[in-house]
Amino acid sequence: MKRALSLSRLFIVAFTFFLIVPMGVVLLFFLVSIYYSSKEKIAADLQVLSHSTADKVNASLKGTAMHLVSTADTLAADRDKISIDKLLASSIKNFELLDNIYVLDEEKKINAVSYSDFNRYSNEDFRRIKLNEVKTFDDFLPNWSRPFNSLLTSNYIVRLSVKYPQGYVVGDINLKFLSDALIIDAENDKTNIFIVDSKGDIISAVGFDNAVHYTNMFTHPAVQQSYQGNHILLDYTYDGEDYTAAGFKIPIVDWYIVYEQKQKEAFSLFYNILDLTAFAVLMTLCFILVVLILIKKRLINPITQLTKYSQQLSKGEKPKFVDFQEGGFSELTKLYESFEHMTIKIDEREQALMEKEEYVRTIFDSTTNTGILVVDTEGEPVITDTNMGAQLILGYKPTELIGLPPDALVRYIGEDIGRMQEEAQALEAMVTAQFDMTKKNGENISVLCTAHPLIKGNTYQNLLIVVFIDITEIKRVQSALESEKERLDVTLKSIGEGVVATDKAGRITLVNSSAETVIGQQYDFMVGNNIKDILRIYDYDSGEDLSMVLTSVSDLSKRTMRANIISEQSEPVTVVLTASAMLHSDGDVIGFVYVFRDITEKIKIEKELMNRKIQLEEINRNLEIRVTDEAEKRRKNEQMLFEQAKFAAMGQMISAIAHQWRQPLNALALFTQDIEDAYQANEVDDGYLKNFVENSMSLIDHMSCTIDDFRNFFHSSNVTEQVNIVQVLKNTLELVDTQLRSQGINYKLTIKNSEKEDVFFNSTPQEVDVYGRNISIYPSEMKQVILNIIHNARYAITEKRKNSNIKDGNIHINIEYNVDNVSLAFSNDGGRIADAALARIFDPYFTTKPEGEGTGIGLYMSKIMIEDHIGGLLMAENIDNGAKFTITIHYDR
């Protein structure tokens, strides 16, 4: 009975899951879609209606407002009374919205009036009445009042005023046209429609029991929302009802029109659909219930009864059929008798199978070096049996292996035994593979495995016989051999020599890549052929054919020679060939190895080197002659430059001597002229003559010393002298002192050592030996360098004066005694040297002076004299407002 209940419940659950649940989901989705579609349509309809009505109202009010503006403009130009009356009457006639139209003066008193539909008053009755509610504002701009009930017409109106310079034009607009327009929409859509101004006052409203309400609706949610933008769309709850509303702004008057619908009325169609759907669902459930009752009676009950009788038969009991069931289940009795006969046969077969199984099990367990697993592949594969060999190889007990998934024994899950199972089932044949299995202790082993699908007849029995052996040691040895072979191959390929190996008969067994390159034959072509058929080898020196004696190498020696190898596929190649025998462990020759290195290029290079050596020797002989000639030319060229530099310095010295002599000569001239005057005045006596002679001789001695300085300045020596650099500078400055003073150029001399620092202005020290060590130089060349640097500074300063108001110039000379050298720096304020010129300042024949004023060899020769002759250093650089030249000379040369 429990099985019957389970079967009924299973059917009901399946029926519910596969039919009722999907239908419910679809129905729910359908209702949700209908709901949101209805909501979107309602919102869209309200938006379209509110926007359309807002546009219509705005157009009507705007047309009326523009007419009043036009009327005010006309009145501002024409004040004739007849024209005013006609104009107002025409406005009332042409604009149905206007109940009344007034013309006011500047004090807001009525001058003229026109009415639309009553004649019981005369215009004179209203003349000079003041309309206080008319506000003052800018000319020709419409101004709208708040809505109110007219005392004249009892209509609900809004008053529109337009000011012009002489007064106002005022029109009363009847708001009944709004109600008429809104009532049509309200009746069609059961919609509440109202228009409010910016303060929440009702302008017009319909739908509230079709009555117009004049209450303030400032707190209404739709009105609150409308003040925040030009249009609205929202859902809200008001006075306990749920509403959907849409609205738009009427810009001409700053009013807002709002359409709202109660959601229970707006969604009436949806609620009708929902009612129909509920009815349909109820009918469907009733139909399903009837079907389930019929299925239970016609299908489930017979199956339940059949199950009951089957249980009795399986227990060996004979079913007790009732009368009406005899015809339906009589065959079960015959089936029961057949089962009894079959059971006897099965017992006999089982006994025979047990005996065979015992025999097979004995053989099955006797194999200890081969593992056997029986895998049940029905559903999730599991191991159902195993032999002793599998237990020993994998380290598991029988109880641990049985029931274990075979994938748990392999290193990579689902990649090996699972793959073999699929292939064996697909091919219905044995498959073989190598892979790694994992022992119980976690150790990985390599196995060779075969999988046999158990097939009876043409039917697969869902059993897989897996047989495997441990090949870990075999693979280790194989891997070692492959590694050794690979290492040997890499070694043979990496060496530069060609290697060819043959067996004892001369058949080639090994060729490396270098040998392929040298011989010009491919490996596949050479292997297996006799080396004598592939190569022709000749002695390099004698030309003797060595091909026939290659395999006659002594088994205990090797032979090395230079030879030419010739093959059919390549040009002759010169090699160094070493032939040796390969010996077995018992001493027998088993083959030969030939190692050769291509020296073809080496031979060519040797020949080329010999030819180049001969050519080089010839070139060297010619080069020595050319070098001697060029050195002589350079020496003569430098000698010429030295002479030019000396002549240039001589010109500078002559200019300096001219300045030195000019003052003494002037003094001598005055002394000579004074003799004549003194003689005429009888002043010539012994004292006068003695004084004249002493003064004249002093001037002549000074001029003579100048000549000596000039002669000593250009006195050259072939050897260096130990001199004091301060003395050399002092002698040079004394020659140009007068010239510098005459041109307004001052010089400042600073001498610094480790103990003191002395400064001299336009003068030099009396004692020169108190500052530092002497240096080894050519004095005359040093004077020439100093004179050249000072001359360039003087030129730069005088040139700068031409383009400025500066009258004085300055040259700063710094002598600094350091530990291993003495430096002499000359700086001036004659302006900076251009960067491009500074880079070439020491090049020969390069000058920054105009053509004809400079030779371009002064600084070039100065650098040679300092750096080449005395091993010093001469550098040039720019400073703030001028240039700086620094000479550095080491004490030890």
Side-chain angles (χ1 to χ4, degrees), residues 606-768:
E606 288 177 353
K607 292 180 179 179
E608 183 68 21
L609 287 175
M610 184 59 67
N611 294 332
R612 293 293 179 88
K613 182 179 179 182
I614 295 172
Q615 295 175 2
L616 186 59
E617 291 175 352
E618 181 66 24
I619 291 172
N620 285 339
R621 286 193 294 271
N622 295 332
L623 185 60
E624 289 177 359
I625 297 173
R626 292 178 61 186
V627 168
T628 302
D629 294 342
E630 290 296 328
E632 181 63 22
K633 290 180 180 178
R634 187 174 183 277
R635 186 186 64 78
K636 291 180 179 180
N637 188 39
E638 287 186 356
Q639 184 65 30
M640 180 181 66
L641 290 176
F642 272 113
E643 293 299 327
Q644 290 178 353
K646 186 175 288 186
F647 285 138
M650 187 179 295
Q652 296 172 14
M653 283 297 299
I654 290 173
S655 176
I657 290 172
H659 281 83
Q660 292 277 33
W661 279 20
R662 184 171 290 111
Q663 184 177 356
L665 287 175
N666 290 335
L668 286 175
L670 290 175
F671 289 160
T672 303
Q673 293 174 359
D674 188 63
I675 292 175
E676 182 178 0
D677 294 338
Y679 177 76
Q680 293 176 357
N682 293 321
E683 294 178 355
V684 179
D685 54 12
D686 291 339
Y688 178 86
L689 291 175
K690 181 179 180 181
N691 186 44
F692 172 78
V693 171
E694 290 177 353
N695 290 334
S696 298
M697 290 305 297
S698 175
L699 292 174
I700 292 171
D701 288 341
H702 175 73
M703 295 171 65
S704 176
C705 289
T706 302
I707 295 298
D708 292 338
D709 291 339
F710 177 74
R711 183 177 66 252
N712 294 331
F713 183 86
F714 287 102
H715 173 70
S716 60
S717 174
N718 294 328
V719 296
T720 58
E721 300 178 16
Q722 289 288 334
V723 297
N724 189 298
I725 189 63
V726 179
Q727 184 64 54
V728 174
L729 178 63
K730 177 181 175 69
N731 296 339
T732 306
L733 288 175
E734 288 176 351
L735 292 175
V736 298
D737 179 82
T738 303
Q739 188 178 14
L740 293 176
R741 290 175 182 273
S742 66
Q743 293 181 346
I745 298 174
N746 301 311
Y747 63 87
K748 174 185 176 183
L749 172 61
T750 302
I751 305 174
K752 179 181 179 182
N753 58 22
S754 61
E755 297 177 355
K756 62 179 181 177
E757 179 178 339
D758 293 338
V759 180
F760 304 91
F761 294 95
N762 294 327
S763 63
T764 56
Q766 297 298 322
E767 296 183 6
V768 298

Side-chain angles (χ1 to χ4, degrees), residues 270-331:
F270 172 74
Y271 294 141
N272 293 334
I273 294 174
L274 191 61
D275 293 340
L276 291 175
T277 304
F279 178 76
V281 170
L282 182 61
M283 292 296 100
T284 303
L285 290 177
C286 292
F287 174 76
I288 291 174
L289 182 61
V290 172
V291 171
L292 289 176
I293 293 173
L294 292 175
I295 289 174
K296 182 178 180 181
K297 182 177 181 181
R298 298 294 183 182
L299 180 63
I300 295 178
N301 288 343
I303 291 175
T304 303
Q305 194 67 29
L306 181 61
T307 302
K308 176 181 177 182
Y309 293 149
S310 298
Q311 290 175 348
Q312 293 177 352
L313 288 172
S314 65
K315 295 178 180 179
E317 301 176 358
K318 183 177 181 181
K320 297 179 180 181
F321 304 112
V322 294
D323 293 340
F324 68 89
Q325 292 175 330
E326 288 287 349
F329 295 94
S330 60
E331 294 297 328

Side-chain angles (χ1 to χ4, degrees), residues 9 12 90 98 205 249 253 266 494 735 824 870 886:
R9 290 173 182 172
I12 292 172
S90 174
L98 290 173
K249 183 178 181 179
V253 289
S494 62
L735 292 175
L824 186 62
I870 61 176
T886 304

